[in-house]
Amino acid sequence: MKAPNLHLNLLRASERQSSSPVRLRVMLPILAVLACVGCLVWWGVLAGQLMLVKSQTASLQQDLAAKKAKHGGILDQKAAERNMAAELDQLTMYARGRRTYGELFKQFAEVVPEGVQLMALEIPEPPAQVLLPPGAKPGPKVKPLLGPTNTVEGVTLRVLGRTMKETPVEALMKALEGPAFTNVLVIAKGVPADQASPRIRSFQQDTSPGDSGLRLLAFDVEYRCVERRFEK
């Protein structure tokens, strides 16, 4: 009969060792130190990147501020250019709406019959221009417009005189329908009275006696002239 094998553990508990060649109590401090170093390196990289981003941001802000000043100057120049263009357009409209009547009076003097005594030739002044913006009330803070909003302005010619009979006046009115006056005077017949041209405002006995003591006929005839048009 064989005897059983005997296993004797003669080591004390303090003498027992781990099977691992490196003990955990040695590795933990090393790993902690490595983690701290890694964190420091990572924070250093982040700090460097943050400083770089801040530097780039400051550079971009300076560049933006410089361009903003230039952009403001460009906008001011564009606004000045628009204002100047609007003023030039308005002056062009006024220049094209300008009409002269010297030639009219010259031609008129050549067709006046001998039996007509002219008292006045009147082209009334145009009405005052309204330069307020639509709906605005006059005030120191209201900026006036460069020109009136209406682009058409009516013009009339009034002929006042005296005569001994109707025939010379009829001859004068017939002469004013000639080609020499078509570019200035408007001849409109067969239309409502307020649109007719010429329009006889009055043709009656003159209340004031003439130098010869004869009673004369006083007439007042109004013609519409070609309108002033303020257009580009």
Side-chain angles (χ1 to χ4, degrees), residues 25-53:
R25 64 182 180 180
V26 177
M27 292 300 298
L28 284 177
I30 294 175
L31 292 175
V33 171
L34 291 177
C36 292
V37 171
C39 290
L40 291 175
V41 172
W42 180 51
W43 290 343
V45 172
L46 291 179
Q49 291 179 349
L50 181 61
M51 292 179 61
L52 179 62
V53 170

Side-chain angles (χ1 to χ4, degrees), residues 4-180:
N5 293 331
L6 298 177
H7 295 279
L8 298 178
N9 188 359
L10 301 178
L11 292 175
R12 297 178 180 177
S14 61
E15 294 177 347
R16 294 177 181 176
Q17 296 182 356
S18 173
S19 61
S20 176
V22 181
R23 293 184 178 184
L24 185 60
R25 64 182 180 180
V26 177
M27 292 300 298
L28 284 177
I30 294 175
L31 292 175
V33 171
L34 291 177
C36 292
V37 171
C39 290
L40 291 175
V41 172
W42 180 51
W43 290 343
V45 172
L46 291 179
Q49 291 179 349
L50 181 61
M51 292 179 61
L52 179 62
V53 170
K54 286 184 177 180
S55 176
Q56 291 177 348
T57 302
S59 177
L60 290 175
Q61 287 178 345
Q62 293 178 356
D63 189 23
L64 182 61
K67 290 182 178 180
K68 186 176 181 180
K70 293 180 180 179
H71 184 257
I74 292 173
L75 292 180
D76 293 340
Q77 291 178 358
K78 284 187 175 181
E81 187 271 338
R82 286 194 297 269
N83 292 334
M84 185 64 68
E87 292 180 4
L88 290 176
D89 289 344
Q90 191 65 36
L91 291 175
T92 301
M93 293 168 65
Y94 275 116
R96 294 187 178 180
R98 174 178 174 269
R99 293 191 176 278
T100 58
Y101 300 98
E103 187 66 24
L104 168 66
F105 293 141
K106 176 183 176 182
Q107 297 291 339
F108 195 95
E110 296 177 359
V111 298
V112 176
E114 294 183 358
V116 172
Q117 180 185 10
L118 289 179
M119 305 300 296
L121 287 176
E122 296 180 357
I123 296 181
E125 293 186 3
Q129 296 179 344
V130 179
L131 299 180
L132 290 175
K137 296 182 179 179
K141 295 183 179 180
V142 178
K143 184 178 180 181
L145 301 175
L146 295 177
T149 54
N150 58 316
T151 59
V152 179
E153 186 177 271
V155 185
T156 59
L157 170 67
R158 289 185 64 181
V159 182
L160 295 91
R162 296 187 300 184
T163 182
M164 296 182 62
K165 54 184 178 179
E166 298 179 359
T167 307
V169 179
E170 293 175 352
L172 174 61
M173 296 176 64
K174 186 66 176 179
L176 293 179
E177 297 178 10

